[in-house]
């Protein structure tokens, strides 16, 4: 539990010098903070959720959907070549994760950075429609991953700049709700386009799928600079008073102001941030946890193929992929909301793992169409374990450069697992896919074991913090003074606030 001095809680007088040099003193209470939070949600969340839907539609889901309507045949791909086209996306994706997120941390206007990324991946997706062979598709997929890499970890980091540790998990779940819905909506979209646009103007339906979804993405990228906000310290759509509250409440949550400009002052430049990341045992524990978790959910890239084993037509198969993802999305939001409310991480993650493992077991043992279809719901519910991403930002709160590097590194490391598991679902293993499902069960069990060990480690670290034997992060006197000014506290009160930090587990 966090404890605060009465004089430094949100709701007291806070002061800061803003970017134009004025001294601003404001007083806020819980209700005003809630109003500000709603305003931030309305401005930030819808745009990011739409981006996540488009992200999955153009980079992940459409390849699996297009496969059902002739892509693999038209491009003369064997199963290994098709799997390579899936995995090569992650080669480019992994390479650019850390550099792109560090760029995001350094620039004051993330909306322009994200808009550029979105426009580029939309263009590459549309150009995929011109592919005529294996080599063409591999090149497009590699550069799609290369450009797309900037979005996901940057979006998670972006949210950590706006929300407290007990708010960010639910918002990350909202982002992934867009991801999960996209997997279901992608089937509905594809059913309409692949069926209705087949051979229109002499162009195959799967090519239209890439053209239409890529064009929509580019259009939204052009609108993004006018929709998305920047950071609390640099955005221009909040009043001076609201900017102070937005920054002050983050200080009361962790104890230190969240401003990348202070990274250089405290000696935490880019290289220092990377070194702090790779030398932290928490980062490696989270990386291996997320790595095995992502591998354990590789079924998603083959969801239409797995659903096709039920024996229905292509259109019905695509439509059947939507209900499991829709149900799983609702569960993921409820699971993350309750996790934020209680501050618990592990047991909510464990519940998600349990549903995924149960789904795999049912898929292995069911002999009826209904049983096999129900198993898809459990598998998809496994995605609610994405609370892991919120656990990263709550475990590594400061300095910002380390948090940015950690989020990117963990996400990049985890996505290495997408490369080998792209080959885990060859058609010769269908219709049972028992080798695939058994492997998934083992991977999820391993990830859960790592998560439990990490939970116990955080408990031991909190005990050391209670005894004054450890520090959660290194502080600089000048930054502590800035933080004290922001929440109108004395240096002594701010030191108490800094040392009140405890890990969430």
């Amino acid at each position: 539990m966090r404890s605060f001095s009465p004089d430094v809680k949100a709701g007291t007088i806070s002061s800061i010098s803003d970017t134009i040099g004025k001294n601003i003193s404001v007083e806020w209470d819980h209700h005003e903070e809630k109003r500000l939070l709603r305003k931030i949600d309305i401005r930030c969340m819808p745009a990011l959720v739409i981006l996540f839907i488009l992200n999955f539609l153009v980079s992940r889901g459409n390849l699996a959907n297009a496969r059902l309507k002739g892509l693999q045949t038209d491009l003369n791909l064997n199963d290994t070549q098709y799997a390579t086209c899936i995995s090569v996306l992650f080669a480019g994706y992994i390479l650019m994760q850390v550099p792109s997120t560090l760029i995001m941390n350094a620039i004051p206007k993330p909306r322009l950075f994200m808009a550029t990324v979105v426009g580029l991946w939309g263009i590459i997706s549309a150009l995929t429609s011109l592919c005529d062979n294996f080599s063409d598709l591999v090149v497009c997929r590699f550069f799609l991953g290369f450009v797309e890499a900037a979005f996901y970890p940057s979006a998670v980091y972006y949210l950590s700049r706006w929300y407290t540790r007990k708010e960010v998990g639910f918002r990350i779940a909202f982002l992934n709700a867009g991801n999960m819905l996209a997997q279901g909506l992608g089937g509905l979209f594809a059913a309409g386009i692949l069926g209705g646009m087949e051979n229109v103007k002499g162009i195959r339906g799967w090519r239209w799928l890439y053209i239409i979804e890529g064009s929509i993405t580019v259009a939204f990228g052009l609108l993004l600079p006018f929709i998305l906000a920047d950071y609390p310290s640099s955005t221009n759509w909040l009043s001076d008073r609201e900017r102070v509250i937005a920054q002050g409440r983050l200080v009361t949550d962790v104890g230190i102001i969240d401003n990348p400009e202070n990274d250089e002052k405290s000696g935490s430049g880019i290289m220092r941030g990377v070194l702090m990341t790779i030398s932290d045992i928490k980062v490696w524990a989270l990386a291996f946890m997320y790595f095995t978790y992502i591998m354990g959910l590789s079924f998603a890239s083959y969801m239409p193929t797995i659903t096709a084993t039920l024996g229905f037509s292509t259109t019905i198969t695509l439509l059947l992929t939507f209900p499991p993802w829709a149900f799983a999305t609702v569960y993921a939001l409820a699971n993350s909301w309750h996790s934020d409310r209680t501050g618990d991480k592990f047991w909510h993650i464990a519940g998600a793992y349990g549903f995924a493992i149960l789904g795999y077991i049912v898929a292995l043992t069911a002999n009826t169409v209904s049983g096999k279809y129900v198993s898809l719901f459990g598998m998809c519910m496994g995605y609610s374990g994405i609370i892991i991403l919120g656990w990263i930002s709550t475990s590594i709160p400061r300095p910002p450069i380390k948090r940015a590097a950690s989020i990117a590194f963990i996400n990049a490391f985890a996505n290495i697992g997408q490369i080998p598991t792209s080959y885990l679902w060859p058609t010769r293993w269908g219709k049972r896919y028992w080798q695939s499902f058994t492997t998934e069960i083992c991977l999820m069990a391993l990830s859960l074991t790592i998560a439990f060990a990490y939970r116990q480690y955080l408990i031991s670290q909190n005990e050391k913090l209670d005894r004054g034997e450890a520090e959660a992060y290194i502080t600089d006197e000048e930054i502590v003074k800035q933080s004290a000014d922001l929440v109108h506290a004395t240096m002594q009160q701010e030191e108490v606030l800094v040392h009140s930090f405890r890990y969430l587990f």
Side-chain angles (χ1 to χ4, degrees), residues 222-480:
L222 294 174
L223 294 174
L224 195 60
F226 306 101
I227 301 172
L228 197 64
D230 290 318
Y231 295 132
S233 58
S234 60
T235 192
N236 57 12
W237 62 276
L238 293 178
S239 67
D240 293 336
R241 174 190 183 87
E242 288 171 330
R243 276 200 297 272
V244 173
I245 298 173
Q247 295 174 80
R249 68 194 204 94
L250 298 181
V251 173
T252 60
D253 178 50
V254 174
I256 289 292
I257 191 170
D258 193 27
N259 188 350
E261 293 178 4
N262 290 322
D263 287 336
E264 293 296 335
K265 297 177 183 178
S266 61
S268 301
I270 290 178
M271 288 308 300
R272 175 63 176 162
V274 172
L275 289 173
M276 285 191 292
T277 294
I278 62 177
S279 61
D280 191 336
I281 190 174
K282 299 192 299 297
V283 171
W284 288 102
L286 288 161
F288 278 102
M289 185 198 313
Y290 196 33
F291 171 75
T292 47
Y293 172 72
I294 289 292
M295 292 182 73
L297 294 176
S298 65
F299 77 91
S301 295
Y302 289 84
M303 182 75 163
T305 301
I306 297 170
T307 309
T309 63
L310 300 178
F312 297 100
S313 68
T314 298
T315 300
I316 297 300
T317 293
L318 291 171
L319 294 175
L320 286 174
T321 62
F322 179 71
W325 286 117
F327 183 82
T329 299
V330 174
Y331 173 73
L333 291 174
N335 193 40
S336 294
W337 175 83
H338 193 260
S339 173
D340 277 359
R341 286 290 297 267
T342 60
D344 173 81
K345 300 298 179 185
F346 173 76
W347 293 111
H348 289 78
I349 291 170
Y353 282 44
F355 281 115
I357 292 172
L358 181 61
Y360 294 144
I361 292 173
V362 172
L364 280 169
T365 57
N367 293 313
T368 63
V369 170
S370 58
K372 291 179 180 178
Y373 187 60
V374 168
S375 73
L376 298 178
F377 285 77
M379 296 181 208
C380 294
M381 289 170 72
Y383 266 80
S384 61
I386 208 69
I387 293 170
I388 292 172
L389 285 176
W391 214 359
I392 298 171
S393 59
T394 61
S395 297
I396 308 164
R398 300 291 186 273
I401 189 69
K402 180 183 177 182
R403 188 170 77 249
S406 298
I407 291 171
F409 174 78
I410 292 168
N411 202 55
F413 186 88
N415 276 282
I416 294 173
Q418 300 264 26
I419 296 175
T421 52
S422 297
Y423 301 88
L424 189 58
W425 303 87
T427 53
R428 67 178 182 274
W429 287 358
K431 295 184 176 180
R432 301 295 296 188
Y433 288 108
W434 69 265
Q435 301 97 323
S436 309
F437 288 126
T438 302
T439 303
E440 300 284 72
I441 291 170
C442 294
L443 288 166
M444 294 299 282
L446 177 57
S447 183
L448 185 60
T449 302
I450 297 171
F452 181 76
Y454 183 63
R455 175 184 185 268
Q456 298 307 114
Y457 174 75
L458 292 185
I459 290 173
S460 69
Q461 289 300 109
N462 281 347
E463 291 172 349
K464 289 183 177 179
L465 290 170
D466 289 339
R467 296 192 298 267
E469 297 174 1
E471 290 185 349
Y473 45 81
I474 300 172
T475 57
D476 176 86
E477 185 176 349
E478 183 179 348
I479 298 175
V480 172

Side-chain angles (χ1 to χ4, degrees), residues 27-57:
E27 183 175 346
W28 79 88
D29 57 25
H30 175 73
H31 298 292
E32 188 171 11
E33 185 175 345
K34 284 292 184 183
R35 286 195 297 272
L36 175 61
L37 186 60
R38 285 194 295 270
K39 188 174 180 179
I40 295 169
D41 282 339
I42 292 170
R43 186 63 182 257
C44 299
M45 295 307 302
L48 289 178
V49 171
I50 292 171
L51 284 178
F52 261 68
I53 292 174
L54 293 173
N55 173 255
F56 196 90
L57 286 178

Side-chain angles (χ1 to χ4, degrees), residues 23-312:
N23 288 326
I24 304 165
S25 272
V26 299
E27 183 175 346
W28 79 88
D29 57 25
H30 175 73
H31 298 292
E32 188 171 11
E33 185 175 345
K34 284 292 184 183
R35 286 195 297 272
L36 175 61
L37 186 60
R38 285 194 295 270
K39 188 174 180 179
I40 295 169
D41 282 339
I42 292 170
R43 186 63 182 257
C44 299
M45 295 307 302
L48 289 178
V49 171
I50 292 171
L51 284 178
F52 261 68
I53 292 174
L54 293 173
N55 173 255
F56 196 90
L57 286 178
V58 303
S59 67
R60 315 280 176 92
N62 53 11
L63 185 64
N65 294 327
R67 184 191 195 191
L68 295 180
K69 204 66 174 180
L71 177 144
Q72 187 169 356
T73 303
D74 290 353
L75 273 57
N76 297 312
L77 306 178
N78 58 40
D79 282 354
T80 301
Q81 289 175 322
Y82 175 78
T84 300
C85 290
I86 291 178
S87 64
V88 75
L89 174 103
F90 301 104
Y93 191 79
I94 292 163
L95 284 174
M96 279 302 292
Q97 290 259 297
V98 174
S100 61
T101 308
L102 293 176
I103 293 171
M104 176 84 164
N105 174 70
I107 63 174
K109 295 191 179 296
R111 60 193 171 91
L112 300 180
F113 177 73
M114 286 193 180
T116 302
V117 169
V118 172
L120 287 174
W121 94 51
I123 291 170
I124 295 172
S125 177
L127 291 174
T128 306
S129 65
L130 301 176
C131 293
D132 288 321
N133 52 52
F134 171 65
S135 299
D136 293 348
L137 188 57
V138 165
V139 171
C140 280
R141 295 283 294 176
F142 175 82
F143 282 106
L144 182 62
F146 192 84
V147 173
E148 180 203 317
F151 178 63
Y152 191 67
S154 295
V156 173
Y157 173 71
Y158 173 82
L159 291 180
S160 74
R161 292 286 302 273
W162 279 101
Y163 295 100
T164 67
R165 292 182 303 143
K166 287 198 172 184
E167 296 166 350
V168 72
F170 185 53
R171 273 69 185 186
I172 292 174
F174 250 103
L175 294 192
N176 283 281
N179 189 333
M180 295 165 70
L181 276 178
Q183 303 197 57
L185 291 172
L188 298 181
F189 260 31
I193 296 172
L194 294 175
M197 300 291 290
E198 180 67 21
N199 289 321
V200 172
K201 297 186 180 297
I203 300 173
R204 290 297 309 270
W206 68 264
R207 296 185 188 275
W208 279 115
L209 184 65
Y210 280 101
I211 293 169
I212 293 172
E213 292 179 353
S215 299
I216 293 172
T217 303
V218 172
F220 191 77
L222 294 174
L223 294 174
L224 195 60
F226 306 101
I227 301 172
L228 197 64
D230 290 318
Y231 295 132
S233 58
S234 60
T235 192
N236 57 12
W237 62 276
L238 293 178
S239 67
D240 293 336
R241 174 190 183 87
E242 288 171 330
R243 276 200 297 272
V244 173
I245 298 173
Q247 295 174 80
R249 68 194 204 94
L250 298 181
V251 173
T252 60
D253 178 50
V254 174
I256 289 292
I257 191 170
D258 193 27
N259 188 350
E261 293 178 4
N262 290 322
D263 287 336
E264 293 296 335
K265 297 177 183 178
S266 61
S268 301
I270 290 178
M271 288 308 300
R272 175 63 176 162
V274 172
L275 289 173
M276 285 191 292
T277 294
I278 62 177
S279 61
D280 191 336
I281 190 174
K282 299 192 299 297
V283 171
W284 288 102
L286 288 161
F288 278 102
M289 185 198 313
Y290 196 33
F291 171 75
T292 47
Y293 172 72
I294 289 292
M295 292 182 73
L297 294 176
S298 65
F299 77 91
S301 295
Y302 289 84
M303 182 75 163
T305 301
I306 297 170
T307 309
T309 63
L310 300 178
F312 297 100

